[in-house]
Amino acid sequence: AGLRSALATADDRDLLLFLHGYNVTFADAARRAAQLAVDLKFRGRTLLFSWASAGDPRLYAVDEASIDWSERHFRDFLQMALTETGASRLHVVAHSMGNRALVRALEYIDTEALPEGAASLCQVIFAAPDIDAARFQDLAALFRGRADRCTLYASSGDVALKASKLVHGYARAGEAGDTIVVVDGVDTIDASRVDTSLIGLRHSYFGSARSILSDMAALVNDRKAPSMRFDIKAVGAPPRQYWTYRT
C-alpha cells in the first residue's frame, strides 16, 4: 500500500527492481540500488530484492545454495511487483549470481497472462551474469518476448567470472571474447573496451563506468534500441550481431 501511494506521486509510475549478486551484504545491496536510481536519474520508484548472500568472498558455495533457494521467492516478488503495486512499467537489473534467480523467474512468469492493469515488464538487464552460458541460451529461448527488451552486458576483463569459469568448468554468460553469448531476443553489449582500470576486479563495472550507466539510462528512461544509442556500435551481422562501445 505504501508503494502504491508513493508511485501515485512519482514523476513516472515506473519501478526499478535491483537484484544483487554474490558476496553482497544487505546494506551494500541497498546502497547499490539507491546509487543506480540516482545515476540513472530514474523518475519512478526503486525496489531491492535482497537474497541471503553470506557477504563473504570465501563462501561462494554458500551463496550458490542461497540463490537457488531464493528462486521461488524472487518469482513471487516479481509477480507482486507486476500485479499489486499499480506500476505502469517494471524494469529489472540483475547482477552476477542474482541473474540465476531472474532467468528462472522469467521462465515461469507468463507476462501475457497477467491480469488486467498489471505493469508491463519493460527493460530487463542482465549485468555480468554468473550463470552457465549454455544454460542462459537455453532459458533465453523460453523467456523470449516476455519483456519489451532484454540486454546482456558482458566483458572479457571480468576477473570474478574468470574465477567462476575455473570453478564450474564452463563459460559464463557474462564473459565476452570467443564465448560471448549472442541469442535471439537479447541485445548483447560487449563492455570489454570500457575503461575499468579503477574498478577493482571489474565485476561491478555496470554500476561504476559512466558510459555503461549512460547506456542503461537510455534503456530504462527512454527505451532506446541499440541502434539509437550514441555510445555503442554493431559488430557482425544477424544472427550473430552484438554491440560494443565506440571508445
Side-chain angles (χ1 to χ4, degrees):
L3 181 56
R4 290 180 68 93
S5 178
L7 273 173
T9 61
D11 293 334
D12 285 335
R13 287 175 53 213
D14 284 21
L15 287 175
L16 176 67
L17 170 56
F18 177 59
L19 178 60
H20 67 83
Y22 149 72
N23 184 30
V24 177
T25 65
F26 175 82
D28 286 342
R31 275 190 289 266
R32 177 47 59 89
Q35 174 245 317
L36 276 175
V38 171
D39 287 346
L40 299 181
K41 297 180 174 60
F42 185 62
R43 297 183 290 265
R45 295 292 182 258
T46 305
L47 295 176
L48 164 68
F49 182 86
S50 180
W51 53 277
S53 168
D56 187 330
R58 299 167 297 180
L59 299 179
Y60 184 85
V62 173
D63 275 12
E64 286 197 307
S66 293
I67 192 64
D68 286 347
W69 181 84
S70 299
E71 287 177 359
R72 180 178 60 82
H73 300 284
F74 176 71
R75 186 165 72 245
D76 292 344
F77 189 85
L78 182 62
Q79 181 87 13
M80 178 274 294
L82 287 165
T83 61
E84 299 180 29
T85 61
S88 298
R89 290 175 291 267
L90 174 67
H91 315 281
V92 186
V93 179
H95 179 230
S96 185
M97 195 180 285
N99 282 279
R100 301 187 194 185
L102 175 57
V103 295
R104 293 303 302 273
L106 294 175
E107 176 189 4
Y108 286 106
I109 291 181
D110 183 358
T111 52
E112 293 186 356
L114 293 176
E116 184 177 354
S120 64
L121 185 57
C122 193
Q123 303 299 325
V124 172
I125 297 174
F126 309 102
D130 182 8
I131 179 174
D132 181 272
R135 179 168 176 77
F136 181 90
Q137 291 176 302
D138 287 345
L139 291 174
L142 298 177
F143 63 68
R144 183 175 181 270
R146 294 191 172 173
D148 291 350
R149 184 174 301 278
C150 291
T151 304
L152 165 66
Y153 288 95
S155 173
S156 58
D158 193 321
V159 177
L161 290 187
K162 289 180 181 179
S164 178
K165 181 179 180 179
L166 287 175
V167 170
H168 295 95
Y170 295 100
R172 316 316 286 165
E175 290 185 277
D178 294 339
T179 61
I180 192 167
V181 170
V182 179
V183 60
D184 191 26
V186 177
D187 298 324
T188 297
I189 314 293
D190 184 352
S192 303
R193 298 179 65 183
V194 174
D195 182 8
T196 56
S197 59
L198 300 179
I199 312 177
L201 293 180
R202 307 182 181 184
H203 191 46
S204 296
Y205 60 84
F206 80 101
S208 305
R210 181 176 299 177
S211 55
I212 295 177
L213 287 167
S214 296
D215 192 56
M216 290 173 60
L219 265 174
V220 171
N221 297 325
D222 303 319
R223 300 183 286 282
K224 290 184 177 180
S227 59
M228 301 297 293
R229 305 202 302 264
F230 176 75
D231 289 337
I232 59 175
K233 63 180 181 180
V235 176
R240 290 293 300 168
Q241 185 178 77
Y242 61 97
W243 305 84
T244 189
Y245 285 87
R246 297 181 185 276
T247 58

